[in-house]
Amino acid sequence: METKKKRGLEIEGYPIEGLSIAGHETSGGLPAYVRTRGLEKMSPPTIVVPTVIKESVEKLFEDFRDIDRSELNHTLIGLDIGEEFFLKKDLKVKAFKTYHRIPSQGYIVYKVKQKLKPEYVGLPGDEIKKLKFSGVEITSMVTSPEVAFTGDTTSEFIFDKDNGDVLKAKILIMESTYVENTKTVEHAKEYGHIHLSEIVSYASKFENKAILLIHFSARYKLDVIEEAISALPPPLAGLVFALKEGF
């Protein structure tokens, strides 16, 4: 018997099955996404959207239910920039500011761990237990940015002082609408997007282990994208990859 694969994000063995993060530009496809999951007998997803569009997305689902007669079971979460939502006790998502022609935001997924506070390191186990049972807070929360997703944005997000973790996430998924010289950086900025040459210019800013580029202009054929990525100089060579389907 064929087993259907789960669709979702996986971070070092932590599957986040059924998590969807969306902004203004992708919210229109959410009802179809939820409907497909239902048809495939998958669990209802958790969907994170900007708070400013949450009400509109709810109405979108209601309208789709009227048309399609589907239940469209899901959990819809609205986040403002800087707000966090725990997906499970050891994973959380946080919204960060991006820069587009309309209000926009990206998301970071963090791994969360409880770490013994330095002052208690080295104490015998029975003493640590006594402290814990007496109500002493012996651990502190430690987070590590695992995956960051920008959505549509200009390169300004790179220089936002509050976005440091975006550039340190193990995997950064970011847009690169334009990849060759028929369109300029100025054109990209005007339309709220990023040119690949900007990524090259700001290469030293990225501390990520891998960068996955998305949202390429529909004018590009596959070979143009592949050629542009293969020509990237160090330190980006071997670090940057292109998602050529679905975006």
Side-chain angles (χ1 to χ4, degrees):
M1 179 184 296
E2 182 179 352
T3 302
K4 291 180 181 178
K5 294 182 179 179
K6 290 184 176 181
R7 294 180 181 177
L9 179 66
E10 183 166 322
I11 301 173
E12 289 192 351
Y14 290 82
I16 313 175
E17 200 275 323
L19 170 66
S20 177
I21 50 181
H24 299 74
E25 71 281 0
T26 58
S27 57
L30 289 175
Y33 162 72
V34 175
R35 181 178 182 274
T36 299
R37 290 184 63 86
L39 290 173
E40 296 186 6
K41 309 300 182 185
M42 301 171 75
S43 61
T46 296
I47 300 169
V48 181
V49 299
T51 301
V52 68
I53 67 170
K54 184 173 183 285
E55 185 176 339
S56 296
V57 173
E58 289 171 343
K59 185 177 185 302
L60 181 66
F61 273 102
E62 288 301 322
D63 290 342
F64 201 91
R65 287 189 183 100
D66 288 341
I67 295 170
D68 191 69
R69 305 302 181 190
S70 299
E71 291 186 7
L72 300 178
N73 294 324
H74 66 281
T75 300
L76 186 64
I77 306 296
L79 285 186
D80 286 322
I81 291 169
E83 289 186 336
E84 301 175 348
F85 172 73
F86 273 81
L87 305 166
K88 45 198 298 190
K89 70 176 183 178
D90 55 355
L91 287 173
K92 68 178 181 179
V93 61
K94 179 180 179 180
F96 66 90
K97 183 174 176 59
T98 55
Y99 297 80
H100 194 45
R101 294 194 295 176
I102 56 177
S104 62
Q105 63 192 47
Y107 302 92
I108 310 177
V109 178
Y110 290 88
K111 183 185 290 185
V112 180
K113 292 182 180 180
Q114 293 295 329
K115 187 176 181 180
L116 193 65
K117 291 182 177 179
E119 58 265 35
Y120 303 122
V121 174
L123 287 180
D126 58 342
E127 289 189 33
I128 291 176
K129 286 182 180 179
K130 287 179 182 179
L131 288 169
K132 183 177 180 180
F133 288 132
S134 67
V136 175
E137 190 64 52
I138 61 172
T139 61
S140 57
M141 183 184 295
V142 178
T143 63
S144 59
E146 300 292 317
V147 178
F149 178 89
T150 70
D152 286 5
T153 183
T154 67
S155 60
E156 288 180 79
F157 87 90
I158 297 170
F159 301 96
D160 190 316
K161 60 181 178 60
D162 294 324
N163 289 349
D165 281 351
V166 179
L167 307 179
K168 295 176 183 176
K170 290 178 181 176
I171 301 173
L172 171 59
I173 305 169
M174 65 180 291
E175 79 129 273
S176 180
T177 302
Y178 304 110
V179 300
E180 43 73 65
N181 294 330
T182 60
K183 296 295 181 182
T184 64
V185 169
E186 290 70 26
H187 177 88
K189 290 181 181 296
E190 180 182 355
Y191 287 89
H193 296 301
I194 294 175
H195 195 290
L196 184 60
S197 64
E198 295 180 273
I199 298 173
V200 174
S201 296
Y202 309 139
S204 62
K205 301 286 186 181
F206 300 102
E207 300 178 42
N208 317 95
K209 291 186 177 180
I211 299 174
L212 182 61
L213 301 183
I214 61 172
H215 198 272
F216 301 105
S217 171
R219 65 171 50 86
Y220 295 134
K221 293 184 177 180
L222 187 59
D223 61 332
V224 174
I225 298 172
E226 291 175 339
E227 182 179 350
I229 299 300
S230 64
L232 289 173
L236 297 177
L239 175 72
V240 177
F241 306 88
L243 183 59
K244 292 163 284 191
E245 296 182 6
F247 285 87

